[in-house]
Amino acid sequence: MHYERPGSIKDATRLLNGAKGSAYVLAGGSDLLVRMKGGFIEPDLVVDIKAIKGIGTIRKSSNGFTIGAAVPCAEMAESAALKKAWPGVVEAANLIGSKQIQGRCTIVGNLCNASPAADSVPALMAAEAKVAIAGPKGSRTIAVDKVVKAPGSTSLRKGEIVEAVLLDKRPLRSGDAYLRFIPRTEMDIAVVGAAVNLTLDKEGVVKSARVSLGAVAPTAILVRRAANAIIGTKLDGPALERLAEACSAACKPIDDKRGTIEFRKKVAGVLAGRAAKIAYKRAGGK
Amino acid sequence: MTAIAVSTTINGDDIEVLCQTEETLLDVLRDRLGLTGAKEGCGTGDCGACSVIVDGRLVCACLVLGAEAEGRRIETIEGMAKGDELHPLQSSFLEHAALQCGVCTPGFLIAAKDLLERNPDPSEEEIRFALAGNLCRCTGYDKIVRAVQDAATVMKGG
Amino acid sequence: MNFDAKFAAKKFNSVGTRPVRPDGVDKVTGRARYGADFNMPGQLAGAVLRSPHAHAKIKKIDVSKAEKLKGVKAVITADDLPDLTDGDSGLYNILDNCMARGRALYDGHAVAAVAAIDARTAREALKRIKVTYQVLPHVTDVDEAVAPGAPLVHEDVFTSGIDPRPKKPSNVAKRSEYGHGDVEKGFKQADFIVERRYRTEQTHQGYIEPHACVASFNADGTADMWVCTQGHFVFRQTCADLLGIDVSKLRVTSSEIGGGFGGKTHVWIEPVALALSRKAGRPVKLVMPREDVFRASGPTSATSIDVRICARKDGTITAAQADLRYSCGPYRDMWAELGAMTSFACYDLANVKSVGHEVLVNRPKTAAYRAPSAPMAAFAVESAIDELAHEIGMDPVEFRIKNAAKEGTKSSYGPVYGPIGIGPTLDAARDHPHMAAALGKNQGRGMACGFWFNFGGQTCTDLNIGLDGTVTLAVGTVDVGGARASLSLVAAEELGISYDEVKAVVADTSTLGYNDMTDGSRGTFSSSMATISAARNAIGVMKERAAAMWDIPVEDVVWEDGHAKATGAGHGNLPPLSLKEIAAAAPKTGGPIAGHSELVADGAGVSFATHICDVEVDPDTGATKVLRYTVIQDAGKAVHPDYVEGQYQGGAAQGIGWALNEEYIYGKDGRLQNPGFLDYRIPVCSDLPMIDTQILEIPNPNHPYGVRGVGETSIVPPLAAIANAVSNAVGVRLAHIPMSPPRILAALDTKKKD
Amino acid sequence: MVEVTLWGSVGSAAGGNKQVEVEAKNIRELFAKLAAEYPGLEPLIDNGIAVAIDGVIYRDTWSKELPEDAEIVLLPRLAGG
């Protein structure tokens, strides 16, 4: 195995593009090293991107936030501005693993690992986040939902690296929230994850909303019918029931060691309702 | 060429070590440098027994490549006491009998030290969630939590 | 050895205090050396190849490519561990489990091993070993294994304990029956009856330290081994038997042990490491990866238990019956029998019957896990008892008090009880403020009792007094959780010196006589007895030395408060001689002063506990939060109360994990799906509340200080206590452990539909 | 003469006998006589049988005396954790 630590994105993409065998990007390593340990992968090349200038920082601009690919999730929680604007995204990022994992793991890694149960992905999808991709043929920006194609598989082409996650500036009266269900209180992989992002009008009526679910289908899913169920409402009981029903209906889960089909369907609706209420409150709704 | 020379700082000492590229920081500490205080309980970041601090961040040494230690500052359990003088957390763990088998203890101490440096006055709930990445199978955590609470009081000068 | 173990009440100076443990500083500074922390010059890295199949015939193992790999020093298969067991089926099963012989019997069964210059080479060598398997039908579920037509784990196993012997082979290796009276008659006398099937899933001890050893086989046929174990003397015996080494030529040193809970009472990799070292001619270090620990070492049984209990309106139980099926893995054992023995041990029953069935399945060999087999039986029985109390309309504590065993009760497993602690723990529970605390919405309270036998066994200690009067205590029972502190207290107590003047160490197998393992809650019970005996022997020597120093008859010397004192007419004005003074004079009064002790510490008192817990269940997700937990248990005498509390709390926490989330999950392919701490979910710090403890001290009449074992009983009640609390919180009886959120939610849905 | 109860798998190994009378003054003698009468018990005795004398369990103290009127129960040797 070769280990490289390039100082620039250009060098990183060149290394990845030129790799003969299997090549992997190392940022936090909390998925990569586990897969190496388990013998699931045997990289010929590991490209550590942490020495790339600027890739380890969170930048705030007039358009919103740019979160570098090597920013550990713990650092997201330490950014007051980010936490204020996107509390749901930050709380999702901070649910990944323990404090020890938090010190290493990144949301870009969480996304590119392409697990159906990734905690940060539903929150990023609900937030309509985009990713900046650098590659041998130049850069491109795509929506977060276009990255993961299937479990373990992304739309990234050979030599490409996700450089950063981009989050828009928030309109007034906006809030987001992410909840997940795990059997213990910490350390588990999500059995169900639900993210809600919404914006209210002056009267406190939901003007726009996005609802996303994790761990209930091969990839995280955006549930438009669930969002529509709460748009135009103040999250009254029937609206929340319709939201829960739409979420349960959208699930295409499996029975596995972490949960059953019935459980995931039911709890997806329950969590979406609870997340919607938190997001609503954060947006200033009463 | 898959061996790599790494220059790093461990508990304040400058260290140079040659390791294989796929070796973890935990392998390097334990097998190359004889620092066996950090334990491998799982090798997958689930138990926290290998907790160390890298550039001020609490991490599992089993999920860091040895090669990544280049130019970093690493703190391990072996550096926690200052000579003969135990860290207040170490004393508190002893006084509260917060260890039975003791294999998880180095990881708990490092994680608790990281917690108290960030939050000198944590609630019981904050302590429990901050230490959730460290598994203990002997104690039921009761005496560990009490030891951390007490150490926090001592460190605040109470 | 004439040693009077009878309890004698006395006022203690050291015993019952809470000093810092002697091995403490090493453990908080990272210096303590555990199994994997030891290295030898020229050491090789070992690795084991394991079967990916639940059941398969091993047709061929081709190791030639692995042997040719540069850096590989030895490759072994079952051929390198020839069968020396001479018809001892128990020993043969251990051998077969260490390295499969002809058939792989479970996912993770070892089939070959290598030793190489480093871990990377060893891993690469494993990939080059080609094993040709013929996959056979498998069965992993305990109920499916006993169903007609189930695939047979062994075609030559016929159920024993049935007369006449069955003609057809079966996965039920053994039937055993306990009880007395006439249960059918008892059922006819009852007004209320509860009958239900309970299931528990397989759990692992979950010690944080994986199995690890360093083995060094020398050219002259001697060998050394460093290993994390609960019993180095037993490991020495087993390894010597399996490898054909003289016992005296194998020296085993026990490392610090990072948790065992029964899982380190069995050998797994140790004979393999020795065989690798023998073949390679160099020391070999073998450490089990965590995945292998789950796949191939020590889980407890999965169980399926039918219980039938009935009572009269006045709350008298008239009959109780249990039919218990326990999985053993692929080897016959006594796990169901232990379940049958313990199931009704808490109660005074006129008519009782329990029948155990040892069920063979294609899962790893079942190993002891803290009060082995008792928690599952207690879960079934204590759940049924609770349900029955509800049916009758009695308070569950009062119902238990009414039927509790007492001195003179004929136990369900045979013997009549002496003085026992079930009644006092129940009284303490009834009077505990926890029982009266208010409960909120979606909350429930449960309680349950538990029993464990406790045992003693062969024990040997050496107590050496240095020239400066400080004492080294060498014990042979492995210290799993503070025993060196407790035993130092006992030595200090008996000699009349301060705790700080005693240093306890665990001796290796070549420097002390044989000791049984630290299991069965025997460590402190038996080694404290041996320590008292050794100290009394040393006092005998010191009295002789004092007599020599004074030049008076030894009969005129007594030992009091750490001093020799002269008694009788004519010596009254001699100032007492301290232990230090006698020790300093030792070279001139006859040489080194020591006390030795070799004894069988039998007569360990049975142990009982009652637990109370409160939970809150989220009715929409099925998530359970443990809000409050109280453990009440009899310790006989708490030598070091901190570590007694620690045992209570630790056992409760393990039981809570078992009750709520821990389970082995097998796929249809017979492979374990969750061999790691990520999906084998032991409780984390944020899952638990503080665990309150109440230590009762009902002296054991068969120990000088009244000590009973305390280690195991605490894991027995939690499964039922939590099941009762959850059932009370949600209004549905939960009869399948673990009560994971999907199971609770499914039970709630079923209730809604009814 | 002492009366001995054989329980669980110990009873099955003794041909299903649950209650036997043996002339023995201590555990060693008891085992010797039982092994002579019920050869099926011998392997169990070799591997260890626990003897409960008036409720107290002895696993290895073969010198333990058996009082005439004592309640004596033979149990399989226990495993612990």
Side-chain angles (χ1 to χ4, degrees):
Chain A
M1 182 181 110
H2 286 266
Y3 169 86
E4 297 286 350
R5 186 169 32 215
S8 72
I9 272 284
K10 211 174 143 195
D11 286 347
T13 56
R14 184 180 48 75
L15 280 163
L16 288 166
N17 198 40
K20 294 254 162 24
S22 59
Y24 292 86
V25 172
L26 169 64
S30 52
D31 286 313
L32 183 70
L33 266 73
V34 172
R35 287 197 284 157
M36 283 167 62
K37 174 91 184 177
F40 301 108
I41 55 167
E42 286 179 38
D44 296 301
L45 171 69
V46 163
V47 178
D48 183 348
I49 60 169
K50 289 190 289 296
I52 295 170
K53 200 161 176 262
I55 205 159
T57 55
I58 301 169
R59 286 193 306 279
K60 190 180 176 217
S61 69
S62 53
N63 299 327
F65 293 90
T66 304
I67 303 165
V71 173
C73 289
E75 215 161 289
M76 290 174 65
E78 290 157 12
S79 162
L82 181 65
K83 215 169 155 181
K84 185 155 177 266
W86 292 102
V89 170
V90 173
E91 74 198 353
N94 279 275
L95 285 174
I96 305 165
S98 58
K99 283 273 182 284
Q100 285 85 339
I101 303 295
Q102 285 290 304
R104 292 271 292 170
C105 70
T106 65
I107 48 170
V108 170
N110 199 223
L111 174 67
C112 294
N113 190 45
S115 158
D119 280 308
S120 66
V121 178
L124 290 171
M125 279 170 66
E128 231 173 333
K130 297 178 195 65
V131 294
I133 298 169
K137 291 177 185 157
S139 299
R140 58 192 181 113
T141 299
I142 62 170
V144 155
D145 5 344
K146 303 290 179 226
V147 177
V148 181
K149 290 197 305 187
S153 159
T154 69
S155 60
L156 293 176
R157 299 189 276 259
K158 183 161 190 190
E160 284 192 329
I161 296 176
V162 174
E163 260 188 287
V165 167
L166 313 172
L167 284 165
D168 283 347
K169 196 180 165 211
R170 300 291 265 159
L172 280 175
R173 293 181 296 278
S174 296
D176 70 335
Y178 173 77
L179 291 174
R180 64 159 184 199
F181 184 85
I182 53 171
R184 293 181 289 190
T185 51
E186 275 285 359
M187 298 305 287
D188 294 332
I189 302 290
V191 183
V192 178
V196 176
N197 174 29
L198 46 75
T199 301
L200 309 181
D201 68 14
K202 280 182 192 153
E203 275 71 49
V205 174
V206 177
K207 199 163 70 177
S208 65
R210 283 168 72 90
V211 177
S212 177
L213 300 173
V216 295
T219 64
I221 54 172
L222 202 61
V223 190
R224 293 192 200 283
R225 197 159 76 79
N228 291 338
I230 54 170
I231 291 172
T233 77
K234 288 185 168 186
L235 293 194
D236 50 279
L240 286 171
E241 269 175 41
R242 287 198 304 276
L243 165 77
E245 185 276 320
C247 285
S248 296
C251 296
K252 292 183 184 62
I254 53 167
D255 279 326
D256 70 3
K257 60 193 171 187
R258 293 172 187 148
T260 59
I261 291 169
E262 296 73 29
F263 181 82
R264 287 187 158 109
K265 283 188 165 188
K266 163 104 202 271
V267 173
V270 171
L271 291 191
R274 291 178 183 178
K277 283 198 236 174
I278 297 168
Y280 186 76
K281 206 173 159 199
R282 284 176 178 165
K286 289 184 179 84
Chain B
M1 191 224 45
T2 57
I4 191 163
V6 177
S7 302
T8 185
T9 305
I10 299 177
N11 301 325
D13 296 327
D14 293 340
I15 302 283
E16 291 195 21
V17 59
L18 197 66
C19 67
Q20 293 170 358
T21 49
E22 73 269 22
E23 280 179 29
T24 64
L25 174 58
L26 182 60
D27 295 333
V28 171
L29 290 173
R30 289 179 54 82
D31 300 336
R32 304 263 172 200
L33 300 173
L35 294 171
T36 56
K39 311 296 177 193
E40 180 167 315
C42 66
T44 49
D46 299 312
C47 79
C50 64
S51 296
V52 298
I53 293 173
V54 178
D55 281 352
R57 287 262 174 233
L58 177 69
V59 302
C60 288
C62 73
L63 294 186
V64 179
L65 289 177
E68 291 181 75
E70 174 69 33
R72 306 295 190 104
R73 274 179 304 108
I74 294 160
E75 297 166 56
T76 74
I77 186 67
E78 287 87 352
M80 197 161 164
K82 296 288 164 259
D84 280 352
E85 194 188 332
L86 295 180
H87 188 279
L89 274 162
Q90 292 173 312
S91 305
S92 188
F93 267 56
L94 291 178
E95 279 155 26
H96 285 266
L99 52 142
Q100 283 177 35
C101 82
V103 81
C104 69
T105 308
F108 267 98
L109 286 166
I110 291 288
K113 177 170 174 276
D114 179 72
L115 166 68
L116 295 186
E117 280 167 7
R118 289 167 196 280
N119 179 1
D121 190 20
S123 66
E124 182 191 332
E125 193 182 13
E126 285 170 330
I127 293 171
R128 287 190 179 275
F129 276 90
L131 299 179
N134 293 81
L135 298 181
C136 169
R137 192 59 158 172
C138 295
T139 64
Y141 304 105
D142 183 300
K143 292 184 191 298
I144 292 174
V145 174
R146 289 179 202 277
V148 175
Q149 287 173 323
D150 207 31
T153 308
V154 169
M155 286 165 74
K156 279 184 298 178
Chain C
M1 180 69 52
N2 286 322
F3 173 68
D4 184 7
K6 272 205 182 53
F7 171 69
K10 64 177 276 188
K11 195 182 158 296
F12 292 107
N13 292 315
S14 294
V15 165
T17 62
R18 302 174 183 240
V20 167
R21 62 200 283 167
D23 49 320
V25 171
D26 275 355
K27 286 181 175 166
V28 298
T29 55
R31 288 182 204 171
R33 287 192 303 173
Y34 293 82
D37 299 339
F38 180 79
N39 297 296
M40 285 180 82
Q43 162 189 301
L44 302 171
V48 176
L49 185 69
R50 297 182 181 277
S51 166
H53 304 294
H55 192 188
K57 188 174 173 195
I58 300 166
K59 298 182 78 172
K60 193 180 165 200
I61 304 179
D62 180 358
V63 299
S64 56
K65 285 199 176 117
E67 282 175 334
K68 279 183 201 130
L69 182 67
K70 206 169 170 209
V72 171
K73 303 295 178 185
V75 184
I76 65 164
T77 65
D79 293 343
D80 297 280
L81 278 161
D83 179 8
L84 308 174
T85 60
D86 193 24
D88 181 335
S89 64
L91 199 58
Y92 180 85
N93 288 344
I94 294 172
L95 177 68
D96 186 66
N97 189 50
C98 287
M99 192 66 78
R101 311 181 81 77
R103 268 190 310 146
L105 298 170
Y106 56 91
D107 166 38
H109 199 166
V111 294
V114 302
I117 48 159
D118 57 20
R120 175 160 69 175
T121 309
R123 278 196 303 271
E124 180 57 33
L126 289 188
K127 281 189 242 155
R128 297 183 183 210
I129 298 173
K130 192 164 178 281
V131 184
T132 312
Y133 293 102
Q134 179 193 337
V135 176
L136 301 170
H138 66 269
V139 62
T140 55
D141 181 86
V142 66
D143 279 327
E144 284 171 22
V146 300
L152 288 171
V153 177
H154 296 289
E155 284 175 355
D156 57 353
V157 167
F158 299 82
T159 310
S160 69
I162 296 179
D163 197 32
R165 184 175 186 265
K167 294 202 169 59
K168 274 205 229 137
S170 164
N171 287 327
V172 179
K174 192 175 83 178
R175 180 189 185 278
S176 53
E177 184 180 324
Y178 288 84
H180 52 255
D182 180 345
V183 285
E184 289 312 322
K185 200 176 98 198
F187 284 121
K188 289 195 189 97
Q189 297 164 348
D191 301 309
F192 295 95
I193 181 160
V194 166
E195 192 167 1
R196 198 181 279 282
R197 172 167 294 189
Y198 301 87
R199 286 201 52 148
T200 69
E201 295 300 329
Q202 188 160 36
T203 57
H204 194 275
Q205 296 83 350
Y207 31 81
I208 307 301
E209 182 202 25
H211 300 274
C213 65
V214 182
S216 176
F217 210 105
N218 299 320
D220 62 0
T222 63
D224 283 278
M225 185 156 64
W226 163 274
V227 59
C228 62
T229 169
Q230 286 175 249
H232 43 317
F233 291 92
V234 176
F235 273 37
R236 174 184 65 169
Q237 184 69 49
T238 308
C239 289
D241 287 348
L242 293 180
L243 283 117
I245 316 171
D246 293 342
V247 166
S248 61
K249 289 182 184 158
L250 173 58
R251 179 179 193 171
V252 181
T253 306
S254 65
S255 69
E256 292 294 343
I257 177 173
F261 317 110
K264 290 175 184 166
T265 62
H266 307 247
V267 299
W268 311 98
I269 52 170
E270 296 76 11
V272 175
L274 279 164
L276 280 170
S277 175
R278 178 165 63 184
K279 193 160 183 179
R282 282 167 66 169
V284 173
K285 181 171 184 171
L286 193 47
V287 181
M288 254 179 155
R290 175 55 59 182
E291 184 184 338
D292 291 3
V293 172
F294 278 111
R295 286 168 76 205
S297 81
T300 185
S301 301
T303 72
S304 165
I305 303 172
D306 295 319
V307 174
R308 214 171 147 208
I309 308 185
C310 61
R312 281 200 299 264
K313 273 183 273 194
D314 70 351
T316 309
I317 298 175
T318 57
Q321 187 177 345
D323 211 32
L324 310 99
R325 293 165 296 278
Y326 278 52
S327 71
C328 295
Y331 307 110
R332 165 198 299 266
D333 217 313
M334 64 175 307
W335 306 117
E337 182 157 21
L338 285 172
M341 291 171 82
T342 57
S343 45
F344 295 108
C346 291
Y347 298 103
D348 183 5
L349 302 167
N351 305 298
V352 57
K353 180 177 171 184
S354 54
V355 181
H357 303 271
E358 314 294 342
V359 182
L360 304 186
V361 292
N362 295 110
R363 292 192 184 208
K365 174 181 113 137
T366 293
Y369 178 18
R370 204 171 197 155
S373 299
M376 307 81 127
F379 161 62
V381 169
E382 290 292 299
S383 294
I385 292 268
D386 228 52
E387 212 175 341
L388 192 54
H390 283 294
E391 297 246 327
I392 299 169
M394 267 181 94
D395 175 79
V397 185
E398 295 296 345
F399 181 56
R400 285 178 173 88
I401 289 173
K402 187 172 172 70
N403 292 287
K406 47 198 167 292
E407 188 163 359
T409 292
K410 184 172 175 60
S411 71
S412 58
Y413 61 93
V416 172
Y417 287 127
I420 55 170
I422 178 75
T425 66
L426 279 165
D427 292 344
R430 181 191 53 204
D431 300 338
H432 198 285
H434 186 165
M435 283 308 263
L439 286 170
K441 200 179 164 204
N442 297 322
Q443 296 179 354
R445 176 167 300 141
M447 51 85 57
C449 300
F451 159 87
W452 182 248
F453 304 97
N454 289 346
F455 42 85
Q458 301 182 67
T459 315
C460 181
T461 64
D462 272 2
L463 189 151
N464 288 292
I465 296 175
L467 268 185
D468 62 354
T470 62
V471 171
T472 311
L473 178 66
V475 301
T477 45
V478 171
D479 177 356
V480 297
R484 273 165 290 187
S486 302
L487 298 174
S488 298
L489 283 171
V490 168
E493 184 73 52
E494 202 57 40
L495 294 170
I497 58 175
S498 123
Y499 168 81
D500 299 332
E501 291 168 312
V502 182
K503 171 81 177 173
V505 299
V506 179
D508 69 53
T509 59
S510 293
T511 51
L512 196 65
Y514 177 85
N515 277 265
D516 281 342
M517 290 184 286
T518 301
D519 71 339
S521 300
R522 69 172 290 275
T524 300
F525 165 76
S526 55
S527 272
S528 67
M529 196 185 281
T531 299
I532 293 167
S533 170
R536 288 180 185 173
N537 290 334
I539 288 169
V541 175
M542 286 190 287
K543 283 183 352 195
E544 285 169 13
R545 302 297 178 86
M549 287 163 78
W550 281 323
D551 198 17
I552 65 172
V554 70
E555 294 75 33
D556 291 351
V557 182
V558 294
W559 190 264
E560 273 175 20
D561 304 327
H563 290 75
K565 293 179 184 170
T567 59
H571 319 311
N573 57 352
L574 289 168
L577 280 168
S578 70
L579 186 147
K580 270 192 174 32
E581 289 167 312
I582 299 168
K588 303 284 186 286
T589 60
I593 300 174
H596 306 281
S597 160
E598 301 87 24
L599 50 79
V600 172
D602 265 333
V606 291
S607 167
F608 292 91
T610 297
H611 291 197
I612 315 164
C613 82
D614 295 352
V615 301
E616 181 170 321
V617 181
D618 181 337
D620 294 322
T621 64
T624 300
K625 185 173 170 55
V626 180
L627 302 170
R628 183 171 180 181
Y629 203 98
T630 303
V631 177
I632 303 163
Q633 188 179 319
D634 173 20
K637 174 71 200 169
V639 177
H640 191 309
D642 274 346
Y643 294 109
V644 173
E645 290 164 6
Q647 290 295 325
Y648 290 6
Q649 293 165 334
Q654 285 184 318
I656 291 168
W658 198 337
L660 292 176
N661 274 312
E662 293 179 33
E663 64 178 309
Y664 267 44
I665 301 168
Y666 277 88
K668 285 199 168 29
D669 57 1
R671 299 193 66 181
L672 182 61
Q673 298 198 333
N674 57 336
F677 281 131
L678 183 62
D679 285 302
Y680 182 86
R681 305 179 194 102
I682 77 171
V684 300
C685 195
S686 48
D687 290 343
L688 298 176
M690 292 296 187
I691 295 168
D692 296 328
T693 57
Q694 188 176 342
I695 301 173
L696 303 185
E697 294 190 327
I698 298 152
N700 174 8
N702 305 304
H703 185 284
Y705 296 173
V707 171
R708 296 175 195 264
V710 299
E712 293 176 289
T713 312
S714 54
I715 201 176
V716 182
L719 281 62
I722 291 178
N724 290 337
V726 169
S727 300
N728 289 336
V730 300
V732 192
R733 176 53 54 181
L734 274 300
H736 192 170
I737 292 266
M739 293 168 287
S740 59
R743 286 202 185 104
I744 290 180
L745 210 54
L748 285 169
D749 279 353
T750 313
K751 178 186 149 197
K752 272 187 210 148
K753 281 174 198 149
D754 286 348
Chain D
M1 190 71 81
V2 290
E3 193 178 68
V4 180
T5 310
L6 311 176
W7 283 86
S9 50
V10 179
S12 333
N17 279 298
K18 282 199 164 180
Q19 208 92 39
V20 296
E21 291 212 331
V22 185
E23 184 74 54
K25 60 180 183 302
N26 59 28
I27 294 178
R28 182 184 317 283
E29 203 177 334
L30 172 69
F31 282 169
K33 294 205 167 151
L34 283 174
E37 185 127 349
Y38 307 104
L41 275 179
E42 203 164 354
L44 268 76
I45 291 170
D46 286 348
N47 288 325
I49 289 185
V51 184
I53 303 170
D54 288 332
V56 179
I57 295 178
Y58 297 87
R59 298 200 308 170
D60 295 305
T61 315
W62 283 22
S63 59
K64 190 75 194 171
E65 286 180 14
L66 307 175
E68 274 284 330
D69 52 350
E71 185 223 32
I72 297 163
V73 182
L74 264 54
L75 302 164
R77 190 185 177 89
L78 309 169

